Amino acid sequence: MSSRERILGRVRRALADVPGGEPSYEEAVGRGYLREHGERSIEETVELLAENLADYRAIVHRTDAEELPLLIMRLLAARGPQYVLVPPGLPPEWMSAADPTRFHDRAVSTPHELDKVESVVTGCALAIAETGTIVLDGSPDQGRRRITLVPDHHICVVRVPEQVVSSVPQAMERLNPARPLTWISGPSATSDIELDRVEGVHGPRTLEVILVG
Amino acid sequence: MSGTYLGMPAFPKAAHEAVGNATLRGNLRHATHTIRGKRAKAVAELDDWAELREAGKQIKDHTLRHLDRYLVQLEESVTAAGGIVHWAADADEANRIVADLVKMTGESEVVKVKSMATQEIGLNEALEAEGIRAYETDLAELIVQLGKDRPSHILVPAIHRNRGEIRDIFAREMSEWGRPAPEGLTDTPAELADAARLHLREKFLRAKVGVSGANFMVAETGTLVVVESEGNGRMCLTLPETLISVVGIEKIVPTWRDLEVFLQTLPRSSTAERMNPYTSTWTGTTDGDGPSAFHLVLLDNGRTDTLADEVGRQALRCIRCSACLNVCPVYERAGGHAYGSVYPGPIGAILSPQLRGTQSEIDASLPYASSLCGACYEVCPVAIDIPEVLVHLRERVVEGGPVTREGNKVVLKPAKGHAAERAAMRAARWAFSHPGALRAGQRLASRTRRLHPRSLPGPGKAWSGTRDLPAVPAEPFRDWWQRTHGGTDGAK
Ligand code: SF4
């Protein structure tokens, strides 16, 4: 007998007490919880997102489409001369003000090469206001997962209000599980040493979120 | 189940020893009290906490009651998404599968993200025996691994170590494993974290095989979920070419939508955050992004035996948030190691004796490692009635009766007169006689009455009247610890 059959057989014997006419999944699970917490205008939801991002030590900037390229240029310049990586589908105008000699946008092939990149600029799939979370889904303006992981500085652009949802339940509705998702709430952190929170272990130690709208 | 630490004294003895160790007690007390207050605040932010908790309980209960169906569905969806599913009835089989998969890649090292399931089966040791080195990459697990130590908390496995001890371990051991600690390393948490970043980065960048567990698996879509803070999980899940995930069969939820419940309750219950820094979800493999080979090892190892117990099966709802540890007066004093298993605290007291059976002294004594104050039940995000299961297991130890072991129905003899009974009695006396553990005395009285008047048969009735303080242990915990290298060498 294969282990598969053995385990499934054990499960069925273990559940011998479960009656045949059990409630279906829909009947068994009550969804009495809220779809979102509190009532807010769209502007208030964006405000809450900014607050919660900052609460978890992301650096938050707000700007409009026209000023965006200049802001990105300034944020990159502030970190000195460096390699900047962008995913293939990033809107080209976002980088139009940045010094073109300072970024290269070809796909970086190995983790070691990626390790030489200091900053990465991406879009996102959506952002969740109640938890201060941005979610990446590997779309062309975000690239594969590793490019937002190995570099030490991540600039993430969120279009407001259209990419902002209030809550986790609203986010689940909009996300596609077939895509690899990365939920990011502040820079990487650990509390493993005496429960003292330290930002920046393995992921980017600096996360800057730009709310554009 | 392997993972019973060799030479582990039964709970009361280990607890006595732990209580005699002031550093351990101080570290634990500070840590659990800090996180306790934060958790309460994070939970209070959500008006619908009670409804989320109820939904979480119902999702898990429904899944467990139809586990065969959901396992088959999960297998189909993972396979359709490009993953390969393996089934492991016990620890040995799971270890063998993983070792063979690693060997097939031609590699002799793997990077690991913290996973309770792989600790439970002793995967690192099994791989070591096959010439494969497993690097733990979670900061706390790294501290534990470098210190040749054992984890003592689900979420903060090195909670028993203070910063000075961690500095010493890093300075002494890092060079054995790879990049040495920087010269002049101090004990500030930021510097220690930075040392870990540098030490592990070279391992991540060259790793070809990653090993993980998972917090959830979605039957409908075949999606796996890992919730973490440091980014080491993302490294292990996305940089290697091959990913092997070892996951207990109880980690399934039916639908994608179900995650909206647990992704709200888990972070707030465990790290007391609105959301943990990183959550990764993946479904099979994705072209050009992440590992090109994905293996899922579904682990039984006592879970189906636990499922066969109508009262005890609720322990399988556990999402390993560790909230019950942080509120437990017995855990706070005894420390995680006293529980003799990778699952410490209240959840360990009901899970280990079910996964492993109650024949050994440590497992027979675990259901008594509690004052039944009920704080664990109150904070549990999936409403596991831990006191109810404790009382049920006490009856099993004392009175014996039918249980399922490795899929077979057997009848346990009463523990009366055996070493297991004596260990159990001592554990009960320890929990009941420790003044601090009786902080919630009123609630204890009403709780036990409501549950089961027979919960403390025979001499048990007299125990709650006992007020003797434990004698100063002949050998303090730390001495035992050092003498036995944390029990890893089959300590005596
Ligand atoms: S038993 Fe409940 S509180 Fe304890 S770790 Fe499991 S889910 Fe969390």
Side-chain angles (χ1 to χ4, degrees), chain B residues 20-66:
Chain B
N21 181 315
T23 312
L24 173 73
R25 228 177 36 230
N27 292 355
L28 265 180
R29 195 186 144 73
H30 169 72
T32 55
H33 282 248
T34 309
I35 194 94
R36 214 184 275 182
K38 285 193 200 156
R39 177 207 155 268
K41 229 175 105 204
V43 165
E45 269 187 23
L46 299 185
D47 301 335
D48 57 342
W49 186 258
E51 288 80 10
L52 284 166
R53 183 176 186 241
E54 186 61 19
K57 169 180 188 269
Q58 290 171 349
I59 291 166
K60 284 283 188 172
D61 268 347
H62 169 80
T63 313
L64 289 169
R65 290 172 84 80
H66 303 278

Side-chain angles (χ1 to χ4, degrees), chain B residues 154 317-325 347 376 379-382 384 386:
Chain B
I154 294 178
R317 291 204 297 261
C318 176
I319 56 173
R320 312 273 189 268
C321 72
S322 71
C324 58
L325 278 63
I347 181 59
C376 48
V379 296
C380 177
V382 285
I384 299 173
I386 294 176

Side-chain angles (χ1 to χ4, degrees), chain B residues 156-178:
Chain B
V156 201
I159 201 166
H160 57 291
R161 295 288 196 189
N162 63 31
R163 60 184 74 190
E165 293 175 292
I166 295 168
R167 192 214 79 91
D168 294 346
I169 292 171
F170 278 11
R172 197 175 61 232
E173 302 289 340
M174 271 185 170
S175 56
E176 287 289 304
W177 291 77

